[in-house]
Amino acid sequence: MNESIIRDLIKYMDVEDNAAIQYIQTEHRMKLGLFWGIQEGSRVLEIGCGQGDTTAVLAHLVGEQGYVHGVDIAPEDYGAPLTVGEAGAKLRRSPLGDRIRMDYDYDILSDQAQFSENEFDVIVLSHCSWYLKSFDELAQILSKVRTWGHQLCFAEWDARVTDVSQLSHWLSVLIQSQVECYKENSFSNVRTLFTTEDIQELVYAAGWTIKEEASIHSPELQDGRWETEMTLAEAPVELQMLPIPDKVKTLLLSELKLLKTHHVSGPGSPLGTYAMVAKKQ
């Protein structure tokens, strides 16, 4: 993997203050883009583009003749320390900007989302499915986008633990997804937990055929630690505020104790990433 390309992408995102962190994040997304086989000249629709971490990599891979249209349901003022709107604006001012469009506050399931049949070569959903409200929401998205593109490229954390060092990340995800069951509205990172098997079933049911699958590991990613620290800080407060039955609350408190034990023993590793390429049936 070309280190100079990754460093150029970091410059384009204008995140020099967090360059070390961003290098690891961008390197991971480059692994995904290369596995997906994104070709030069491709037209890509990226759902859940966020601050543009994957968008930048996709824009590099499609080249000057390609095009990436990123959309996200979040409003432009969502996110910290840089909002998604600020991050997207910086990326569009970069040398990649003329091949990128990013729309926020954009509901892919609403009437505003209308594209022509096969308008895109590739539809990308990268590390965004756990933000969705339900299984039904992902099923509807996978079904709707099928008319717009030839190929589906998907990536999400792989809930199949392969090493004990991943337990902190896994427990954080499990606790967050359980607490979510009692929320009416949420801004959490994990709102619905999809296992690999869940994703496979939903993809097939929506009319796609999976052609390639892989579990991609990027052990230096900081996300496992971030999720753990956030869960330990926020979950105890939420347990006091939400209408959670006492027996479930006791279970979650026990899980939090386990999480704290694993966390203090070491920083741990992030879960792997389940990546997949599918074609229309």
Side-chain angles (χ1 to χ4, degrees):
M1 196 174 298
N2 194 316
E3 181 176 333
S4 65
I5 292 174
I6 295 174
R7 297 202 180 280
D8 282 344
L9 293 176
I10 294 172
K11 291 178 183 177
Y12 298 160
M13 289 182 277
D14 194 15
V15 288
E16 282 82 358
D17 291 344
N18 296 302
I21 292 174
Q22 191 61 52
Y23 185 95
I24 294 169
Q25 294 289 327
T26 301
E27 183 181 40
H28 173 66
R29 284 156 178 84
M30 186 66 78
K31 290 180 185 178
L32 296 177
L34 294 175
F35 167 75
W36 289 329
I38 303 298
Q39 299 295 311
E40 286 192 25
S42 294
R43 292 179 60 84
V44 179
L45 174 64
E46 182 194 1
I47 299 168
C49 61
Q51 295 181 320
D53 291 326
T54 304
T55 314
V57 169
L58 293 171
H60 163 72
L61 292 174
V62 301
E64 294 182 0
Q65 303 305 312
Y67 173 71
V68 180
H69 187 169
V71 300
D72 201 297
I73 199 168
E76 289 194 7
D77 60 359
Y78 175 81
L82 206 63
T83 68
V84 292
E86 291 169 337
K90 287 184 175 183
L91 189 54
R92 291 194 301 275
R93 290 195 296 267
S94 78
L96 301 176
D98 60 355
R99 66 189 83 162
I100 292 173
R101 173 174 174 175
M102 300 172 80
D103 290 325
Y104 295 103
D105 202 12
Y106 191 101
D107 184 355
I108 200 70
L109 293 177
S110 71
D111 290 340
Q112 76 178 128
Q114 298 294 336
F115 297 103
S116 302
E117 184 172 356
N118 295 326
E119 183 168 338
F120 298 96
D121 300 295
V122 181
I123 311 290
V124 170
L125 287 88
S126 178
H127 286 289
C128 67
S129 67
W130 285 5
Y131 286 91
L132 300 177
K133 297 189 293 289
S134 65
F135 272 55
D136 184 60
E137 186 174 19
L138 179 56
Q140 289 185 54
I141 291 172
L142 292 172
S143 179
K144 184 173 182 178
V145 303
R146 182 176 171 274
T147 63
W148 300 339
H150 301 284
Q151 177 172 297
L152 174 69
C153 295
F154 188 98
E156 190 52 271
W157 298 110
D158 192 337
R160 299 170 294 186
V161 173
T162 57
D163 188 272
V164 68
S165 65
Q166 299 172 334
L167 282 176
S168 291
H169 193 184
W170 181 81
L171 274 168
S172 300
V173 167
L174 189 63
I175 292 167
Q176 286 188 53
S177 59
Q178 289 173 304
V179 172
E180 285 298 306
C181 296
Y182 301 92
K183 292 183 181 180
E184 292 186 8
N185 298 295
S186 178
F187 295 97
S188 298
N189 291 346
V190 184
R191 304 174 199 181
T192 304
L193 170 61
F194 295 100
T195 68
T196 299
E197 293 78 9
D198 294 328
I199 294 165
Q200 292 165 342
E201 291 170 3
L202 289 167
V203 167
Y204 278 117
W208 299 90
T209 298
I210 296 175
K211 296 298 184 181
E212 294 184 75
E213 298 173 282
S215 188
I216 294 175
H217 291 267
S218 299
E220 293 185 349
L221 282 171
Q222 307 89 348
D223 300 68
R225 175 172 56 83
W226 292 338
E227 293 292 357
T228 298
E229 292 173 351
M230 185 179 71
T231 303
L232 289 171
E234 296 183 2
V237 178
E238 292 176 327
L239 292 184
Q240 300 303 316
M241 298 173 59
L242 294 169
I244 302 175
D246 288 341
K247 192 167 185 177
V248 178
K249 188 178 295 184
T250 300
L251 171 63
L252 287 165
L253 287 170
S254 295
E255 291 176 0
L256 281 167
K257 291 173 184 175
L258 287 171
L259 176 59
K260 187 174 182 180
T261 298
H262 281 288
H263 183 54
V264 297
S265 66
S269 301
L271 293 165
T273 296
Y274 170 66
M276 168 262 289
V277 176
K279 303 283 188 180
K280 289 183 182 180
Q281 290 178 5

